Amino acid sequence: MADEKLASIPTGLAGDNALVSTMRNTYLSFLERRDALGLSNPGTFENINREVSRDVLLTNFMFTGLRAEWNKPISNNPIFQLSHALSMGAQGMSPYTFSALYGSDRVFLQGTMESDASLVARSNYRWNDSLITKTNAQIQSGQSMLSIENDYTGKDFTASLKGMNPSVIEGGLKGIFIASYLQSVTPSLALGLEAVWQRVAMNSSPEALLSYGARYKGADWIASLQMQTEGPQGSAMSSSYWRKLTDKVSVGTDLSLQFAPGLSGQGGLLGGSLQKEGSASAGAKYEFRASTFRAQVDSKGRLSCLLEKTILPAVRVTFAGEMDHLKQQAKVGVSVSVEAMSEELMEQMEKGTAQSPSVPF
């Protein structure tokens, strides 16, 4: 690896100039030491606690009401799939949703249209093995949102640049811009930072925030810590811990603390009043042969659980429930998902001849 990178530096130029030769040798030594550490890619700063937030806890899985989904895979390479979804009594969900998905080794496209005329479109494009551009556009309730993100994945680091609703047509730059970088410094430890700059309108002052993050990976556990510097909305700190107890059982905890100026507007670290708010969540995930069970409890008195059960190879049933002991409220959700795969495609899947592409999600 180091020799390949070194080959891109002109040797003739290095031999004619002592300074360039010294820099070349220093760079070679740095690459050799870096490769000797055996560092791996730590992922993105945004997903620094992905094992807890996206796999164990129920934030991305909970729903209420009744839902029915019908998925129709048309091809496996490239991936092409259509789906219809009906919902009733679900909070924040449209009664009917139609979506289409296409994925290949370089391109990922997904479009969703709801019965209230809301539209969501996603597109990802892989320029090479390291660089992926992600675009997300939404039109909902008369409001629109556009985000463009570029992720560069190196051998032992990930750099991201994201813009949300960027605009220069009003005589200046406005929108939300996020830049992040996460670097592995040892085989177990990764450090990173994230900078946010935003301006809602040209007649308002821009705001900036800076966050620091750390991620430590043990043999069967992962811990992460994020700290946000003090800004207009105060400062914040969050930590998470994930542990794999067995091959089928994993647990995770998440703790968040926020410090905001008091109502008097004179709060600060050196004096005045500070509003302090914190929350804690703990969850577990159990994987069985044909089902997955998740449970979660938080400091606000809510107990949640979710069971995903595969009844037939093409039928999956999901049960969700939440009890809020402080508010004396309960929520229940039931979902049925059917995958109408053609016999030819199903036969390819059973024989293992249908190879899925590496889609740039």
Side-chain angles (χ1 to χ4, degrees):
M1 179 67 68
D3 293 340
E4 294 178 357
K5 295 180 179 179
L6 183 61
S8 62
I9 302 178
T11 55
L13 178 62
D16 296 339
N17 191 301
L19 177 60
V20 174
S21 178
T22 302
M23 294 176 60
R24 176 175 176 271
N25 294 334
T26 303
Y27 181 65
L28 173 60
S29 177
F30 170 76
L31 291 179
E32 291 177 346
R33 292 175 180 271
R34 185 175 179 178
D35 292 340
L37 292 175
L39 304 179
S40 60
N41 184 276
T44 61
F45 189 93
E46 181 182 8
N47 297 324
I48 196 171
N49 62 340
R50 56 187 176 272
E51 289 79 10
V52 176
S53 62
R54 296 182 177 271
D55 191 40
V56 175
L57 298 185
L58 300 179
T59 306
N60 298 323
F61 298 95
M62 280 300 299
F63 66 96
T64 59
L66 301 177
R67 295 175 57 187
E69 298 180 3
W70 183 81
N71 301 317
K72 175 63 176 178
I74 298 177
S75 66
N76 191 67
N77 193 0
I79 296 176
F80 184 43
Q81 177 177 301
L82 303 177
S83 66
H84 304 265
L86 299 173
S87 62
M88 182 174 60
Q91 297 180 356
M93 295 194 63
S94 178
Y96 172 74
T97 302
F98 170 78
S99 64
L101 182 149
Y102 174 87
S104 64
D105 291 329
R106 282 190 172 272
V107 179
F108 170 74
L109 301 173
Q110 184 179 31
T112 302
M113 175 70 77
E114 299 182 351
S115 56
D116 59 355
S118 298
L119 174 65
V120 178
R122 294 177 55 198
S123 67
N124 299 349
Y125 185 81
R126 177 183 283 122
W127 300 94
N128 51 48
D129 294 338
S130 300
L131 181 60
I132 296 179
T133 297
K134 303 178 181 179
T135 306
N136 190 337
Q138 299 182 20
I139 301 176
Q140 187 175 17
S141 301
Q143 298 180 350
S144 60
M145 190 276 290
L146 172 66
S147 68
I148 303 175
E149 181 178 2
N150 291 281
D151 292 339
Y152 187 88
T153 304
K155 181 180 179 181
D156 53 10
F157 72 93
T158 300
S160 301
L161 180 62
K162 183 176 183 179
M164 301 177 63
N165 285 342
S167 176
V168 293
I169 61 177
E170 297 182 12
L173 181 63
K174 72 173 186 177
I176 302 175
F177 301 89
I178 305 172
S180 63
Y181 182 84
L182 188 61
Q183 170 73 59
S184 293
V185 294
T186 71
S188 300
L189 179 63
L191 301 176
L193 56 84
E194 180 182 72
V196 180
W197 185 93
Q198 65 175 353
R199 174 184 281 175
V200 180
M202 293 306 302
N203 57 1
S204 62
S205 301
E207 300 175 357
L209 294 174
L210 189 63
S211 301
Y212 304 92
R215 173 183 169 93
Y216 191 89
K217 183 177 180 180
D220 56 359
W221 61 274
I222 298 174
S224 66
L225 176 66
Q226 291 178 271
M227 297 182 63
Q228 178 183 299
T229 57
E230 188 171 6
Q233 304 299 326
S235 58
M237 180 181 70
S238 63
S239 62
S240 65
Y241 178 81
W242 175 88
R243 188 178 187 92
K244 193 172 188 65
L245 301 180
T246 66
D247 293 339
K248 303 294 183 180
V249 182
S250 57
V251 296
T253 61
D254 182 81
L255 174 65
S256 299
L257 298 174
Q258 293 183 347
F259 306 92
L263 297 178
S264 62
Q266 297 178 354
L269 297 177
L270 300 179
S273 61
L274 272 179
Q275 288 183 339
K276 304 174 181 133
E277 183 178 354
S279 62
S281 303
K285 176 185 176 182
Y286 299 83
E287 295 180 280
F288 303 99
R289 184 180 62 86
S291 62
T292 302
F293 177 75
R294 292 179 174 89
Q296 175 183 323
V297 61
D298 60 31
S299 57
K300 297 182 180 179
R302 294 179 299 189
L303 176 63
S304 309
C305 63
L306 185 138
L307 174 64
E308 295 176 305
K309 174 70 174 179
T310 301
I311 300 178
L312 297 172
V315 180
R316 185 177 73 252
V317 179
T318 305
F319 300 92
E322 179 181 285
M323 294 183 60
D324 193 326
H325 292 83
L326 298 182
K327 296 181 179 180
Q328 298 296 315
Q329 295 178 352
K331 300 177 182 178
V332 179
V334 180
S335 172
V336 178
S337 178
V338 179
E339 190 170 87
M341 187 180 301
S342 64
E343 295 183 0
E344 180 181 357
L345 189 58
M346 186 176 297
E347 183 179 354
Q348 294 177 359
M349 296 289 290
E350 292 177 354
K351 294 181 178 180
T353 58
Q355 297 181 356
S356 301
S358 178
V359 181
F361 289 112

